[in-house]
Amino acid sequence: MSFLDLEDSVAPNEKVAARIKVVNAIRNLNWDDRVLCVRVNAWDTPWTYEDVIEVVGHAGSRLDEIMMPKVRRASDVVAMDLLLSQVEKNAGLPVGHIGIEAQIETAEGLINVEEICAASPRLETIVFGPADFAASIGMPVTTIDEHIHDGPSNPFSYVFAKILMAGRANGLHVIDGPFLKVRDLDALRFAATISFSYGFDGKWALTPDQALILNEVYSPSQELFDKSFDILDAYRVATEHEHTGALMFGDEMIDEASAKIANSFVARGERSGMKRTKE
Ligand code: GLV
Ligand code: MG
């Protein structure tokens, strides 16, 4: 997924001019088959509705998603859903064509994340925004780096668990946000491993170098990918031919739940183009 930004990376006096640049970029650059998203400004600014009208109105046919920053409550998403429906009708697009990614980056958004994740069928992804979130809760940090995770306390552990549960309960992709110390790739790897360990599907990359590391962290290792296929084979033989639901796989007992876990690793690996070593 690639996203173009109209929000915090654009200076306030450039907000209006940025819209046409984004429209031109969507229309004129080669995005191949990448999922393409534009982050609009939040509802508490003067810019949101015109961001949507301009971008979806003029480039909506190639656009896949709108990203909403600083979502605070379910009605923020409902309002976006209604606005998108009107803009799609006027632009001759099928209603429902544009999906929504919602960023959770305030204490209020986190408290309401369960309702937010269930607020619209357009929702595809829930995204944690650590920088705004740190500001929102008054964390004593000036950047988002690995030290957030190894300090004397780590409020992000609660945040990760809460966002993950709300996202999964509603069938959404769950994504971790940016890592700002962009030159330190080892530190990025460490930080990414933490949200991966909760089950997050990925993390924002701010540079191509970060993207390489993150693709590695959030894809299963070849060993895990191959083991998942082996578990599925063993489980299939046991259930179909030996009429047993629980069996030993080396030193591990496996059953239906193990097959579900294995299936999720196979799906993740296949999404990133992996192939089983042994056919
Ligand atoms: C991203 O938008 C963040 O605030 O971390
Ligand atoms: Mg933010």
Side-chain angles (χ1 to χ4, degrees):
M1 189 278 269
S2 300
F3 90 84
L4 300 164
D5 194 22
L6 291 173
E7 204 225 7
D8 282 358
S9 68
V10 177
N13 53 10
E14 284 297 314
K15 291 286 187 191
V16 173
R19 291 180 188 135
I20 184 73
K21 292 184 188 159
V22 163
V23 167
N24 287 338
I26 296 171
R27 292 167 72 119
N28 301 328
L29 299 183
N30 177 10
W31 299 99
D32 292 322
D33 55 0
R34 254 177 292 179
V35 172
L36 192 53
C37 180
V38 170
R39 182 166 69 167
V40 297
N41 289 283
W43 282 124
D44 60 354
T45 72
W47 299 299
T48 320
Y49 74 98
E50 278 192 277
D51 287 347
V52 174
I53 292 168
E54 286 294 311
V55 172
V56 178
H58 294 108
S61 59
R62 176 58 189 87
L63 189 64
D64 299 296
E65 299 171 333
I66 288 290
M67 185 176 314
M68 300 181 62
K70 303 180 182 72
V71 175
R72 291 173 186 273
R73 51 191 90 82
S75 57
D76 289 359
V77 176
V78 174
M80 178 59 71
D81 185 327
L82 293 172
L83 175 60
L84 281 169
S85 296
Q86 282 201 349
V87 177
E88 285 167 339
K89 281 179 193 158
N90 283 324
L93 299 168
V95 170
H97 171 75
I98 304 283
I100 295 177
E101 300 215 2
Q103 281 188 281
I104 299 299
E105 29 187 10
T106 61
E108 191 184 355
L110 186 71
I111 293 305
N112 294 324
V113 66
E114 291 166 24
E115 293 81 15
I116 289 169
C117 285
S120 162
R122 290 184 191 266
L123 268 170
E124 292 172 7
T125 304
I126 190 88
V127 184
F128 177 45
D132 273 300
F133 192 82
S136 160
I137 64 168
M139 273 177 93
V141 296
T142 56
T143 190
I144 301 300
D145 63 11
E146 74 282 18
H147 299 304
I148 286 199
H149 304 288
D150 63 14
S153 67
N154 180 3
F156 281 15
S157 46
Y158 167 65
V159 176
F160 283 154
K162 189 164 169 79
I163 293 179
L164 184 83
M165 298 312 153
R168 289 285 181 258
N170 290 281
L172 305 183
H173 300 294
V174 183
I175 300 291
D176 187 11
F179 184 83
L180 303 182
K181 221 160 59 177
V182 287
R183 296 202 178 86
D184 192 340
L185 297 177
D186 287 337
L188 168 74
R189 185 187 295 278
F190 168 74
T193 306
I194 293 175
S195 62
F196 173 70
S197 73
Y198 280 82
F200 275 53
D201 297 303
K203 180 169 174 67
W204 278 11
L206 301 176
T207 66
D209 285 345
Q210 284 198 335
L212 289 178
I213 303 286
L214 296 176
N215 284 340
E216 240 178 73
V217 173
Y218 291 91
S219 306
S221 64
Q222 187 66 46
E223 192 189 349
L224 185 55
F225 188 64
D226 288 339
K227 178 179 172 186
S228 300
F229 276 106
D230 293 344
I231 288 175
L232 291 175
D233 286 348
Y235 183 70
R236 195 174 313 111
V237 170
T239 49
E240 288 175 14
H241 302 294
E242 292 157 13
H243 305 281
T244 176
L247 61 143
M248 289 306 287
F249 179 84
D251 289 339
E252 301 162 19
M253 190 213 79
I254 62 170
D255 63 8
E256 171 72 21
S258 323
K260 283 191 182 127
I261 296 171
N263 264 320
S264 83
F265 283 123
V266 166
R268 259 178 202 256
E270 286 182 341
R271 267 205 305 275
S272 49
M274 293 176 77
K275 297 264 178 297
R276 187 180 187 180
T277 307
K278 164 189 107 183
E279 274 312 317

